[in-house]
Amino acid sequence: MTVPSAIGLSRDEMAERVALDIPDGSYVNLGIGIPELVAAHVPEGREFIYHTENGLLGMGPAPEDAGDPELINAGKRRVTAVAGASFFHHADSFVMIRGGHIDLCVLGALQVAQNGDLANWSTGEPGAIPAVGGAMDLVAGVETIFVVTQHTTRNGEPKLVESCTYPLTGPGVVDRIYTNLAVIDVTPDGFRLAELSPGVDFEYVQERTGAQLLPMSRMSSAVV
Amino acid sequence: MIDKRVSSVEEAVADIFDGATVMVGGFGEAGSPIELLHALIDQGATDLTVVNNNTGSGEVGLAALIRAGRVSKMICSYPRTLNSTVFPELYQSGRTALDLVPQGTLAERIRAGGAGIPAFYTATSVGTPLEVGKERREIGGRDYVLEYALTADFALIKAKVADYHGNLIFNKTARNYSPVMATAADATIVQASEVVPPGGIDPECVVTPGIFVDRIVIVAEPALESTLVAQGASYP
């Protein structure tokens, strides 16, 4: 995984950082991609219960054997069920989501705007096959939404922006963003830096962010 | 005496008519009733509206039905999946329409259809492109959109065990949409790996009560989509 030119955290380190902020006993839904890696980094002494919207609470890791093709996650990959797991149908699964029973959701992003708008389902390209899955239900129904994403696109374009140019998944839904460079809170005043990755400074992150970045709260008096 | 067994998948799908709306259980390959879908291809009904989370993969099961030109419209939440090539081609050439529905809204529309609830409000899709054309209403200080119930003429479902009355249990995450689809269709057709006499399923463990099921056919060793796709299989 180690790329010599990589600056900041690896995908695994980003997932590990997210897991540190998940309270013990949380019911958590993990999106596809880097969010899936969070499950491998549960901090010592904590227990999370993972929900997958296709009907399983208590999702465990990928099976060591071939597994069961009818025991899969939302990304349609084979998983296991932990002791104490339960299966349920789709309407009940989204009762858990829409009814506010899932505590926290970790999602990937195409773009996040400074007001918390999230775009993560479509680039809106003409002719593309639109596919939404459960993303809109998750952001509308789950109280705390964490986004974990690379800070910029492969081409270096900012993913944290003033306003999303891609179609929205939900307006004003993101609470906190974890990137390879920083942890950033979405506040009523916009993006506020919460933490810098090792070897990265404020200016470096600001240059790669498409909106104004407010300095860390405890630094702000010193800066002023 | 109540006995909902039929003798073959052919008999089970014989009355599905042109223009019917057909709900198909399954999320990816988990719960996909492949043998019923193949029987429907053989049966020939066309101009179908199909409700499923996805659009199948490879050239078997649901993807084969679409490839055979029998589906004029898909109602689904995620038409792109691994090995899903049939639907994207037909969609892009304008030969199959798509009604894209957020996954939880799709499940609840089906649940509402089965429950006799004509419509409901949900916050899902508010402020997004999928809100367009929907009635918006503020309730308790939050905005919601009106979503209408979804019903069907037929539901095709895969279960693990059925009894003669139609009581069902499922295999793990193969359950997904099937219990709600069973409630929302005029005729619910079930393929089960095992069929037992009444009493063969503990009433405490029944997932779908038999009242929601109309026909049962045994398919003892159902094919798996991933196995067929890996073999490069194509139906018919």
Side-chain angles (χ1 to χ4, degrees), chain B residues 64-201:
Chain B
L65 183 72
I66 297 168
R67 181 168 169 263
R70 309 293 175 73
V71 180
S72 53
K73 182 179 178 185
M74 279 301 310
I75 301 176
C76 72
S77 88
Y78 208 87
R80 286 190 318 239
T81 43
L82 191 66
N83 299 314
S84 172
T85 53
V86 167
F87 177 80
E89 282 174 26
L90 289 173
Y91 173 74
Q92 277 159 345
S93 65
R95 287 188 287 163
T96 304
L98 170 65
D99 185 358
L100 188 72
V101 183
Q103 198 172 133
T105 296
L106 182 60
E108 188 64 11
R109 286 178 64 192
I110 298 166
R111 196 203 68 81
I117 306 289
F120 59 92
Y121 286 97
T122 177
T124 301
S125 90
V126 168
T128 79
L130 296 189
E131 181 192 357
V132 174
K134 294 173 188 170
E135 178 185 326
R136 191 197 272 217
R137 179 165 167 180
E138 187 191 311
I139 301 172
R142 189 171 181 192
D143 286 330
Y144 298 88
V145 294
L146 184 68
E147 296 282 0
Y148 290 95
L150 200 53
T151 57
D153 300 301
F154 300 92
L156 305 182
I157 279 168
K158 179 187 185 184
K160 183 180 182 188
V161 185
D163 71 17
Y164 301 173
H165 289 183
N167 293 308
L168 307 178
I169 60 175
F170 298 89
N171 179 41
K172 306 183 179 76
T173 55
R175 183 182 307 191
N176 57 70
Y177 287 89
S178 295
V180 281
M181 287 179 170
T183 70
D186 286 345
T188 293
I189 305 166
V190 176
Q191 66 168 76
S193 303
E194 191 184 346
V195 178
V196 298
I201 301 174

Side-chain angles (χ1 to χ4, degrees), chain A:
Chain A
M1 278 308 284
T2 311
V3 180
S5 63
I7 292 169
L9 305 183
S10 68
R11 287 160 55 92
D12 250 327
E13 289 166 338
M14 290 158 67
E16 188 175 9
R17 178 62 192 84
V18 173
L20 282 179
D21 286 351
I22 303 178
D24 185 34
S26 293
Y27 288 91
V28 179
N29 183 292
L30 300 176
I32 296 166
I34 303 175
E36 289 177 86
L37 304 176
V38 172
H41 296 286
V42 181
E44 188 76 31
R46 288 188 223 176
E47 185 178 11
F48 308 151
I49 299 203
Y50 295 111
H51 171 264
T52 180
E53 57 264 34
N54 55 312
L56 167 61
L57 257 184
M59 178 176 65
E64 286 172 9
D65 56 12
D68 184 332
E70 293 195 318
L71 178 48
I72 60 176
N73 66 12
K76 305 187 176 67
R77 274 199 273 274
R78 293 181 196 184
V79 294
T80 51
V82 302
S86 55
F87 297 114
F88 36 84
H89 63 65
H90 244 78
D92 276 353
S93 185
F94 282 85
V95 163
M96 295 175 195
I97 292 170
R98 201 188 302 101
H101 307 281
I102 302 295
D103 299 306
L104 189 147
C105 179
V106 185
L107 292 170
L110 293 167
Q111 291 175 326
V112 182
Q114 58 188 353
N115 65 352
D117 289 359
L118 173 67
N120 78 344
W121 69 284
S122 167
T123 56
E125 284 171 46
I129 310 288
V132 65
M136 287 187 184
D137 308 279
L138 284 162
V139 299
V142 178
E143 179 68 26
T144 301
I145 302 290
F146 287 171
V147 159
V148 57
T149 177
Q150 302 293 342
H151 203 85
T152 58
T153 68
R154 284 196 189 90
N155 299 327
E157 297 292 322
K159 297 180 89 168
L160 281 59
V161 294
E162 286 187 352
S163 66
C164 295
T165 54
Y166 294 142
L168 291 193
T169 308
V173 296
V174 176
D175 296 291
R176 193 165 232 216
I177 307 155
Y178 301 81
T179 78
N180 50 325
L181 302 182
V183 179
I184 292 168
D185 287 318
V186 177
T187 74
D189 301 323
F191 292 134
R192 183 176 289 283
L193 183 67
E195 189 177 305
L196 289 165
S197 296
V200 178
D201 63 19
F202 180 89
E203 287 69 28
Y204 189 88
V205 180
Q206 177 65 79
E207 281 167 17
R208 287 157 182 78
T209 304
Q212 191 193 350
L213 188 59
L214 301 167
M216 277 186 264
S217 297
R218 68 167 188 276
M219 287 170 56
S220 53
S221 57
V223 170
V224 172

Side-chain angles (χ1 to χ4, degrees), chain B residues 51 59-60 79 109 116 118 160-161 172 182 207-208:
Chain B
V51 184
E59 297 181 354
V60 295
R109 286 178 64 192
K160 183 180 182 188
V161 185
K172 306 183 179 76
V207 173
T208 289

